[in-house]
Amino acid sequence: MGLVVQKYGGSSVADAEGIKRVAKRIVDAKKNGHQVVVVVSAMGDTTDELIDLAEQVSPIPAGREFDMLLTAGERISMALLAMAIKNLGHEAQSFTGSQAGVITDSVHNRARIIDVTPGRIRTALDEGNIAIVAGFQGVSQDKKDITTLGRGGSDTTAVALAAALDAEVCEIYTDVDGVFTADPRVVPKARKIDWISFEDMLELASSGSKVLLHRCVEYARRYNIPIHVRSSFSGLRGTWVSNEPQGDQQVEHAIISGVAHDVSEAKVTVVGVPDKPGEAAAIFRTIADAEINIDMVVQNVSAATTALTDISFTLPKTDGARAIDALEKAKGQIGFESLRYDDQIGKISLVGAGMKTNPGVTASFFEALSDAGVNIELISTSEIRISVVTRADDVNEAVRAVHTAFGLDSDSDEAVVYGGTGR
Amino acid sequence: MGLVVQKYGGSSVADAEGIKRVAKRIVDAKKNGHQVVVVVSAMGDTTDELIDLAEQVSPIPAGREFDMLLTAGERISMALLAMAIKNLGHEAQSFTGSQAGVITDSVHNRARIIDVTPGRIRTALDEGNIAIVAGFQGVSQDKKDITTLGRGGSDTTAVALAAALDAEVCEIYTDVDGVFTADPRVVPKARKIDWISFEDMLELASSGSKVLLHRCVEYARRYNIPIHVRSSFSGLRGTWVSNEPQGDQQVEHAIISGVAHDVSEAKVTVVGVPDKPGEAAAIFRTIADAEINIDMVVQNVSAATTALTDISFTLPKTDGARAIDALEKAKGQIGFESLRYDDQIGKISLVGAGMKTNPGVTASFFEALSDAGVNIELISTSEIRISVVTRADDVNEAVRAVHTAFGLDSDSDEAVVYGGTGR
């Protein structure tokens, strides 16, 4: 039995009862012979309450102090969890990100882990302790200031520690049973996935699936740390994310892993752009200089009569106003006629490594959307993903239609047969 | 203008409004040309709430983890205070006890400061920052674990930092206007003291005055750091505590500094102790081995007929049960007839260096008590203090009578004249 890293989110430790339930689960893993390292988030709404307090004293909280404030949340949950474990008769010690050796860069509020030196964790384990580590936080390499890793940071802490400690597995405990073939709130027939490759999980994460964040999966893939996403409430086996399925992890030779959707983006269309070299570069340099990440890009075929074209791209709604502002300011320099902004769009993505070798996936995807009466506005593809942009109102219906068409519904036994001449 | 250390208690930073008010006061000191180091406690009831949470997960919270938990409180208040200061246009940085170089022993929950290495604080000040430091906490020298200093620990943090940084003064901001000649809740005519010596303040603190704790005053005396106790609400000049009065600090050649009282103690009487060498030692060794601190001790004159005597001592009520338990267990070995326990006692203490050179203070004290009809059960004295134990019900009346008798009432202009042949 080797070393296991377990991560528990805020909803799993929302109150004293939750903490005691989690403590029991941790002790069970220890009793099974594992060395156990636990990464824990702040309790329930603690982080939101701290943010509220910060906004009451200062409209624009400062980076360094904001991180100092937020890290109080994990300090509370990890100390309570260690106490609860000790109360069950097992030894436990809690460690801040700094004490656990989570070294980051100096970008407050969204720092990146640059090294993990878990000497104190290793010592605590060797002395028979369960080690509890504060998620979401680290210490900056140059200034020794407390930093936080931004949204989903605790998952990344867990994977980074698992890599540094050469763990067998990183278990991510959450309030759902695992990764599903689609969001169960939209597709009631969505199935829990038993096993999924890092590649497919990365595509799902960047296409709107919220169970695991892209950064965390990327880290796990780089160090080849299997992730097991599972429920802290049910204790059932969840979803394994790894390079290759192990043992009895079911694969079923799935062609398609799942259908993701995302309604958090908006579309910007730059109308009447001169169709000549350098124009697109000028537009996207302007957007990049405003530190905005864009997602999909489409350039229309130039109308022969005018030598003008339109360029559309999607970006997070929260960055929409800044993008429009930046482009308007650069209008004279770039040279375009007008801007259109549309925040009523949605994106549906079909993800699966199987589409590389199964021609006809694209055709089936479009047929399913067409049968559901959904109009496609933009298309973008990777080797193992097809994404389309539609009206936001059509997204839920489109996801259900595609989920059914590819035989992903939980009560469907039909195999989907593809024909045609590739995608 | 030199360096000032300011300490704000939990009631001063109980909510966002309090934090903003304190931030303004700090910025005022900075504007006056001072370098400012601020030590802050946890907000209002935070510590009690954290203790509640701990008790919900574990009936006997463990030392190390309990300290980790409690220190989250100051982390929140110090970060918010730094944000509020920055919002006023001044630079501020917050530091944990560990970052501020507060090095302690390894006794969790009541650690002692053994060194202060404030290199990061000095750097922050030199760069023009206001430094905010978490009170009540440090880091253990050997294990590098987070420790807390126990009750009143933030005051000690402030004085220790003031000593290490060679500050001009350590300002203790609280919710009262300073140190009073008696507890104003008991004696409405109590006067605020303008200046008091370390020695008298130490006696008041150990006699029940709660404004400053003994440990903090002792630290200030050792390093000769003047303390200024004042209100964070009124901003009025408070009480200076130092070796010698400075400038316009009023002294009025006071004979008596104040009257303290304490109803937190109980009295244990060991009845029928053989009146021979070693008996008292055996009793107090038993108490000491139970890690109980005793206060007053009185041995009755032996009754000639029996060669048995009674020994009484006082101790904190909270230690009463343990003391009785320890003595009962050692009964056969020590040899005594029975134990009596009385938790309905109170202690009244008169404190003032003037009593060294003013004969008759003791007589006036006892006369005042007698005139008020208060019976004296035990007496104990030091060079600058007289304490008596009475019934708890008599304490408030006794304090008022003594306060009046020594001309301490705020509307009294009479000087008290002592006659007689010494105390």
Side-chain angles (χ1 to χ4, degrees), chain B residues 72-99:
Chain B
E74 286 79 29
R75 203 174 186 85
I76 294 170
S77 56
M78 74 185 192
L80 291 172
L81 188 52
M83 289 178 197
I85 291 169
K86 288 165 94 83
N87 197 40
L88 295 175
H90 288 258
E91 287 305 310
Q93 287 195 339
S94 67
F95 297 92
T96 63
S98 170
Q99 289 176 337

PDB file of all heavy atoms in Angstrom, chain B residues 72-99:
ATOM      1  N   ALA B  72      -5.738  31.855  12.915  1.00  0.00           N
ATOM      2  CA  ALA B  72      -6.486  32.338  11.744  1.00  0.00           C
ATOM      3  C   ALA B  72      -7.171  33.665  12.068  1.00  0.00           C
ATOM      4  O   ALA B  72      -7.362  34.500  11.193  1.00  0.00           O
ATOM      5  CB  ALA B  72      -7.517  31.295  11.301  1.00  0.00           C
ATOM      6  N   GLY B  73      -7.515  33.871  13.333  1.00  0.00           N
ATOM      7  CA  GLY B  73      -8.230  35.083  13.728  1.00  0.00           C
ATOM      8  C   GLY B  73      -7.443  36.353  13.456  1.00  0.00           C
ATOM      9  O   GLY B  73      -7.945  37.294  12.835  1.00  0.00           O
ATOM     10  N   GLU B  74      -6.184  36.385  13.879  1.00  0.00           N
ATOM     11  CA  GLU B  74      -5.361  37.581  13.651  1.00  0.00           C
ATOM     12  C   GLU B  74      -5.026  37.743  12.165  1.00  0.00           C
ATOM     13  O   GLU B  74      -4.844  38.849  11.677  1.00  0.00           O
ATOM     14  CB  GLU B  74      -4.046  37.508  14.427  1.00  0.00           C
ATOM     15  CG  GLU B  74      -4.206  37.725  15.915  1.00  0.00           C
ATOM     16  CD  GLU B  74      -4.697  36.484  16.598  1.00  0.00           C
ATOM     17  OE1 GLU B  74      -4.398  35.376  16.111  1.00  0.00           O
ATOM     18  OE2 GLU B  74      -5.426  36.597  17.610  1.00  0.00           O
ATOM     19  N   ARG B  75      -4.918  36.612  11.476  1.00  0.00           N
ATOM     20  CA  ARG B  75      -4.622  36.670  10.054  1.00  0.00           C
ATOM     21  C   ARG B  75      -5.695  37.477   9.326  1.00  0.00           C
ATOM     22  O   ARG B  75      -5.411  38.254   8.423  1.00  0.00           O
ATOM     23  CB  ARG B  75      -4.600  35.243   9.531  1.00  0.00           C
ATOM     24  CG  ARG B  75      -3.817  35.034   8.280  1.00  0.00           C
ATOM     25  CD  ARG B  75      -3.791  33.545   7.997  1.00  0.00           C
ATOM     26  NE  ARG B  75      -2.963  33.196   6.890  1.00  0.00           N
ATOM     27  CZ  ARG B  75      -1.672  32.997   6.980  1.00  0.00           C
ATOM     28  NH1 ARG B  75      -1.040  33.127   8.116  1.00  0.00           N
ATOM     29  NH2 ARG B  75      -0.973  32.664   5.903  1.00  0.00           N
ATOM     30  N   ILE B  76      -6.943  37.275   9.740  1.00  0.00           N
ATOM     31  CA  ILE B  76      -8.060  37.991   9.112  1.00  0.00           C
ATOM     32  C   ILE B  76      -7.996  39.474   9.470  1.00  0.00           C
ATOM     33  O   ILE B  76      -8.038  40.347   8.606  1.00  0.00           O
ATOM     34  CB  ILE B  76      -9.404  37.374   9.564  1.00  0.00           C
ATOM     35  CG1 ILE B  76      -9.523  35.946   9.021  1.00  0.00           C
ATOM     36  CG2 ILE B  76     -10.580  38.232   9.123  1.00  0.00           C
ATOM     37  CD1 ILE B  76     -10.690  35.146   9.590  1.00  0.00           C
ATOM     38  N   SER B  77      -7.864  39.781  10.776  1.00  0.00           N
ATOM     39  CA  SER B  77      -7.912  41.189  11.185  1.00  0.00           C
ATOM     40  C   SER B  77      -6.728  41.972  10.635  1.00  0.00           C
ATOM     41  O   SER B  77      -6.869  43.112  10.216  1.00  0.00           O
ATOM     42  CB  SER B  77      -7.982  41.296  12.711  1.00  0.00           C
ATOM     43  OG  SER B  77      -6.907  40.626  13.319  1.00  0.00           O
ATOM     44  N   MET B  78      -5.537  41.343  10.604  1.00  0.00           N
ATOM     45  CA  MET B  78      -4.363  42.120  10.161  1.00  0.00           C
ATOM     46  C   MET B  78      -4.425  42.401   8.667  1.00  0.00           C
ATOM     47  O   MET B  78      -4.044  43.477   8.211  1.00  0.00           O
ATOM     48  CB  MET B  78      -3.069  41.414  10.551  1.00  0.00           C
ATOM     49  CG  MET B  78      -2.732  40.196   9.732  1.00  0.00           C
ATOM     50  SD  MET B  78      -1.246  39.396  10.419  1.00  0.00           S
ATOM     51  CE  MET B  78      -0.882  38.246   9.093  1.00  0.00           C
ATOM     52  N   ALA B  79      -4.923  41.430   7.890  1.00  0.00           N
ATOM     53  CA  ALA B  79      -5.009  41.650   6.440  1.00  0.00           C
ATOM     54  C   ALA B  79      -6.033  42.741   6.141  1.00  0.00           C
ATOM     55  O   ALA B  79      -5.792  43.626   5.316  1.00  0.00           O
ATOM     56  CB  ALA B  79      -5.379  40.355   5.736  1.00  0.00           C
ATOM     57  N   LEU B  80      -7.176  42.693   6.836  1.00  0.00           N
ATOM     58  CA  LEU B  80      -8.205  43.712   6.619  1.00  0.00           C
ATOM     59  C   LEU B  80      -7.699  45.090   7.014  1.00  0.00           C
ATOM     60  O   LEU B  80      -7.944  46.085   6.329  1.00  0.00           O
ATOM     61  CB  LEU B  80      -9.465  43.361   7.419  1.00  0.00           C
ATOM     62  CG  LEU B  80     -10.240  42.132   6.943  1.00  0.00           C
ATOM     63  CD1 LEU B  80     -11.340  41.779   7.945  1.00  0.00           C
ATOM     64  CD2 LEU B  80     -10.843  42.368   5.560  1.00  0.00           C
ATOM     65  N   LEU B  81      -6.948  45.151   8.124  1.00  0.00           N
ATOM     66  CA  LEU B  81      -6.433  46.444   8.579  1.00  0.00           C
ATOM     67  C   LEU B  81      -5.432  47.013   7.559  1.00  0.00           C
ATOM     68  O   LEU B  81      -5.462  48.208   7.249  1.00  0.00           O
ATOM     69  CB  LEU B  81      -5.782  46.266   9.960  1.00  0.00           C
ATOM     70  CG  LEU B  81      -5.354  47.525  10.697  1.00  0.00           C
ATOM     71  CD1 LEU B  81      -6.486  48.539  10.777  1.00  0.00           C
ATOM     72  CD2 LEU B  81      -4.865  47.171  12.100  1.00  0.00           C
ATOM     73  N   ALA B  82      -4.583  46.150   7.021  1.00  0.00           N
ATOM     74  CA  ALA B  82      -3.630  46.608   6.002  1.00  0.00           C
ATOM     75  C   ALA B  82      -4.378  47.136   4.775  1.00  0.00           C
ATOM     76  O   ALA B  82      -4.026  48.182   4.215  1.00  0.00           O
ATOM     77  CB  ALA B  82      -2.684  45.474   5.610  1.00  0.00           C
ATOM     78  N   MET B  83      -5.440  46.424   4.373  1.00  0.00           N
ATOM     79  CA  MET B  83      -6.238  46.886   3.219  1.00  0.00           C
ATOM     80  C   MET B  83      -6.854  48.251   3.503  1.00  0.00           C
ATOM     81  O   MET B  83      -6.875  49.129   2.639  1.00  0.00           O
ATOM     82  CB  MET B  83      -7.370  45.895   2.940  1.00  0.00           C
ATOM     83  CG  MET B  83      -6.928  44.579   2.371  1.00  0.00           C
ATOM     84  SD  MET B  83      -8.393  43.510   2.172  1.00  0.00           S
ATOM     85  CE  MET B  83      -7.581  41.934   1.991  1.00  0.00           C
ATOM     86  N   ALA B  84      -7.407  48.411   4.723  1.00  0.00           N
ATOM     87  CA  ALA B  84      -8.070  49.670   5.070  1.00  0.00           C
ATOM     88  C   ALA B  84      -7.070  50.828   5.055  1.00  0.00           C
ATOM     89  O   ALA B  84      -7.398  51.937   4.642  1.00  0.00           O
ATOM     90  CB  ALA B  84      -8.733  49.552   6.444  1.00  0.00           C
ATOM     91  N   ILE B  85      -5.832  50.572   5.492  1.00  0.00           N
ATOM     92  CA  ILE B  85      -4.803  51.613   5.478  1.00  0.00           C
ATOM     93  C   ILE B  85      -4.427  51.968   4.043  1.00  0.00           C
ATOM     94  O   ILE B  85      -4.314  53.140   3.685  1.00  0.00           O
ATOM     95  CB  ILE B  85      -3.562  51.158   6.269  1.00  0.00           C
ATOM     96  CG1 ILE B  85      -3.907  51.077   7.768  1.00  0.00           C
ATOM     97  CG2 ILE B  85      -2.380  52.091   6.040  1.00  0.00           C
ATOM     98  CD1 ILE B  85      -2.838  50.396   8.607  1.00  0.00           C
ATOM     99  N   LYS B  86      -4.246  50.958   3.210  1.00  0.00           N
ATOM    100  CA  LYS B  86      -3.904  51.212   1.802  1.00  0.00           C
ATOM    101  C   LYS B  86      -5.017  52.022   1.137  1.00  0.00           C
ATOM    102  O   LYS B  86      -4.763  52.873   0.285  1.00  0.00           O
ATOM    103  CB  LYS B  86      -3.686  49.891   1.061  1.00  0.00           C
ATOM    104  CG  LYS B  86      -2.390  49.204   1.469  1.00  0.00           C
ATOM    105  CD  LYS B  86      -2.346  47.752   1.036  1.00  0.00           C
ATOM    106  CE  LYS B  86      -1.679  47.555  -0.290  1.00  0.00           C
ATOM    107  NZ  LYS B  86      -0.222  47.488  -0.233  1.00  0.00           N
ATOM    108  N   ASN B  87      -6.251  51.751   1.551  1.00  0.00           N
ATOM    109  CA  ASN B  87      -7.390  52.477   0.991  1.00  0.00           C
ATOM    110  C   ASN B  87      -7.343  53.953   1.361  1.00  0.00           C
ATOM    111  O   ASN B  87      -7.960  54.784   0.702  1.00  0.00           O
ATOM    112  CB  ASN B  87      -8.696  51.843   1.481  1.00  0.00           C
ATOM    113  CG  ASN B  87      -9.881  52.260   0.645  1.00  0.00           C
ATOM    114  OD1 ASN B  87      -9.773  52.351  -0.568  1.00  0.00           O
ATOM    115  ND2 ASN B  87     -10.997  52.533   1.294  1.00  0.00           N
ATOM    116  N   LEU B  88      -6.613  54.294   2.429  1.00  0.00           N
ATOM    117  CA  LEU B  88      -6.437  55.703   2.821  1.00  0.00           C
ATOM    118  C   LEU B  88      -5.210  56.308   2.150  1.00  0.00           C
ATOM    119  O   LEU B  88      -4.800  57.421   2.469  1.00  0.00           O
ATOM    120  CB  LEU B  88      -6.314  55.801   4.351  1.00  0.00           C
ATOM    121  CG  LEU B  88      -7.560  55.386   5.153  1.00  0.00           C
ATOM    122  CD1 LEU B  88      -7.263  55.405   6.651  1.00  0.00           C
ATOM    123  CD2 LEU B  88      -8.747  56.290   4.836  1.00  0.00           C
ATOM    124  N   GLY B  89      -4.593  55.542   1.249  1.00  0.00           N
ATOM    125  CA  GLY B  89      -3.478  56.095   0.478  1.00  0.00           C
ATOM    126  C   GLY B  89      -2.109  55.907   1.108  1.00  0.00           C
ATOM    127  O   GLY B  89      -1.145  56.543   0.685  1.00  0.00           O
ATOM    128  N   HIS B  90      -2.008  55.023   2.103  1.00  0.00           N
ATOM    129  CA  HIS B  90      -0.708  54.762   2.717  1.00  0.00           C
ATOM    130  C   HIS B  90      -0.316  53.305   2.513  1.00  0.00           C
ATOM    131  O   HIS B  90      -1.161  52.436   2.381  1.00  0.00           O
ATOM    132  CB  HIS B  90      -0.741  55.112   4.210  1.00  0.00           C
ATOM    133  CG  HIS B  90      -0.788  56.584   4.455  1.00  0.00           C
ATOM    134  ND1 HIS B  90       0.302  57.329   4.828  1.00  0.00           N
ATOM    135  CD2 HIS B  90      -1.807  57.465   4.317  1.00  0.00           C
ATOM    136  CE1 HIS B  90      -0.036  58.600   4.929  1.00  0.00           C
ATOM    137  NE2 HIS B  90      -1.314  58.721   4.629  1.00  0.00           N
ATOM    138  N   GLU B  91       0.981  53.065   2.492  1.00  0.00           N
ATOM    139  CA  GLU B  91       1.449  51.698   2.273  1.00  0.00           C
ATOM    140  C   GLU B  91       1.452  50.917   3.582  1.00  0.00           C
ATOM    141  O   GLU B  91       1.879  51.428   4.622  1.00  0.00           O
ATOM    142  CB  GLU B  91       2.867  51.717   1.679  1.00  0.00           C
ATOM    143  CG  GLU B  91       2.882  52.151   0.223  1.00  0.00           C
ATOM    144  CD  GLU B  91       1.954  51.311  -0.652  1.00  0.00           C
ATOM    145  OE1 GLU B  91       2.050  50.069  -0.577  1.00  0.00           O
ATOM    146  OE2 GLU B  91       1.130  51.883  -1.376  1.00  0.00           O
ATOM    147  N   ALA B  92       0.982  49.689   3.513  1.00  0.00           N
ATOM    148  CA  ALA B  92       0.959  48.837   4.696  1.00  0.00           C
ATOM    149  C   ALA B  92       1.200  47.396   4.280  1.00  0.00           C
ATOM    150  O   ALA B  92       0.805  46.983   3.192  1.00  0.00           O
ATOM    151  CB  ALA B  92      -0.396  48.950   5.415  1.00  0.00           C
ATOM    152  N   GLN B  93       1.869  46.649   5.138  1.00  0.00           N
ATOM    153  CA  GLN B  93       2.056  45.223   4.910  1.00  0.00           C
ATOM    154  C   GLN B  93       1.769  44.494   6.214  1.00  0.00           C
ATOM    155  O   GLN B  93       2.157  44.952   7.283  1.00  0.00           O
ATOM    156  CB  GLN B  93       3.496  44.919   4.477  1.00  0.00           C
ATOM    157  CG  GLN B  93       3.806  45.363   3.058  1.00  0.00           C
ATOM    158  CD  GLN B  93       5.083  44.750   2.532  1.00  0.00           C
ATOM    159  OE1 GLN B  93       5.930  44.310   3.300  1.00  0.00           O
ATOM    160  NE2 GLN B  93       5.225  44.713   1.229  1.00  0.00           N
ATOM    161  N   SER B  94       1.094  43.346   6.105  1.00  0.00           N
ATOM    162  CA  SER B  94       0.806  42.570   7.308  1.00  0.00           C
ATOM    163  C   SER B  94       1.773  41.396   7.420  1.00  0.00           C
ATOM    164  O   SER B  94       2.257  40.877   6.418  1.00  0.00           O
ATOM    165  CB  SER B  94      -0.637  42.068   7.274  1.00  0.00           C
ATOM    166  OG  SER B  94      -0.822  41.120   6.256  1.00  0.00           O
ATOM    167  N   PHE B  95       2.056  41.014   8.660  1.00  0.00           N
ATOM    168  CA  PHE B  95       3.005  39.932   8.926  1.00  0.00           C
ATOM    169  C   PHE B  95       2.452  39.012  10.009  1.00  0.00           C
ATOM    170  O   PHE B  95       1.953  39.474  11.035  1.00  0.00           O
ATOM    171  CB  PHE B  95       4.352  40.498   9.402  1.00  0.00           C
ATOM    172  CG  PHE B  95       5.032  41.354   8.378  1.00  0.00           C
ATOM    173  CD1 PHE B  95       4.823  42.721   8.352  1.00  0.00           C
ATOM    174  CD2 PHE B  95       5.857  40.783   7.421  1.00  0.00           C
ATOM    175  CE1 PHE B  95       5.432  43.525   7.388  1.00  0.00           C
ATOM    176  CE2 PHE B  95       6.465  41.573   6.456  1.00  0.00           C
ATOM    177  CZ  PHE B  95       6.258  42.948   6.440  1.00  0.00           C
ATOM    178  N   THR B  96       2.576  37.719   9.791  1.00  0.00           N
ATOM    179  CA  THR B  96       2.230  36.765  10.845  1.00  0.00           C
ATOM    180  C   THR B  96       3.284  36.871  11.946  1.00  0.00           C
ATOM    181  O   THR B  96       4.346  37.473  11.748  1.00  0.00           O
ATOM    182  CB  THR B  96       2.238  35.334  10.308  1.00  0.00           C
ATOM    183  OG1 THR B  96       3.564  35.010   9.886  1.00  0.00           O
ATOM    184  CG2 THR B  96       1.290  35.184   9.124  1.00  0.00           C
ATOM    185  N   GLY B  97       3.009  36.263  13.086  1.00  0.00           N
ATOM    186  CA  GLY B  97       4.002  36.242  14.155  1.00  0.00           C
ATOM    187  C   GLY B  97       5.308  35.649  13.659  1.00  0.00           C
ATOM    188  O   GLY B  97       6.396  36.158  13.946  1.00  0.00           O
ATOM    189  N   SER B  98       5.198  34.581  12.908  1.00  0.00           N
ATOM    190  CA  SER B  98       6.387  33.925  12.359  1.00  0.00           C
ATOM    191  C   SER B  98       7.151  34.869  11.437  1.00  0.00           C
ATOM    192  O   SER B  98       8.375  35.023  11.548  1.00  0.00           O
ATOM    193  CB  SER B  98       5.935  32.662  11.612  1.00  0.00           C
ATOM    194  OG  SER B  98       6.987  32.105  10.883  1.00  0.00           O
ATOM    195  N   GLN B  99       6.467  35.530  10.529  1.00  0.00           N
ATOM    196  CA  GLN B  99       7.132  36.454   9.602  1.00  0.00           C
ATOM    197  C   GLN B  99       7.752  37.639  10.349  1.00  0.00           C
ATOM    198  O   GLN B  99       8.764  38.184   9.911  1.00  0.00           O
ATOM    199  CB  GLN B  99       6.120  36.975   8.573  1.00  0.00           C
ATOM    200  CG  GLN B  99       5.670  35.918   7.564  1.00  0.00           C
ATOM    201  CD  GLN B  99       4.591  36.448   6.620  1.00  0.00           C
ATOM    202  OE1 GLN B  99       3.879  37.406   6.927  1.00  0.00           O
ATOM    203  NE2 GLN B  99       4.458  35.813   5.470  1.00  0.00           N
TER     204      GLN B  99
END
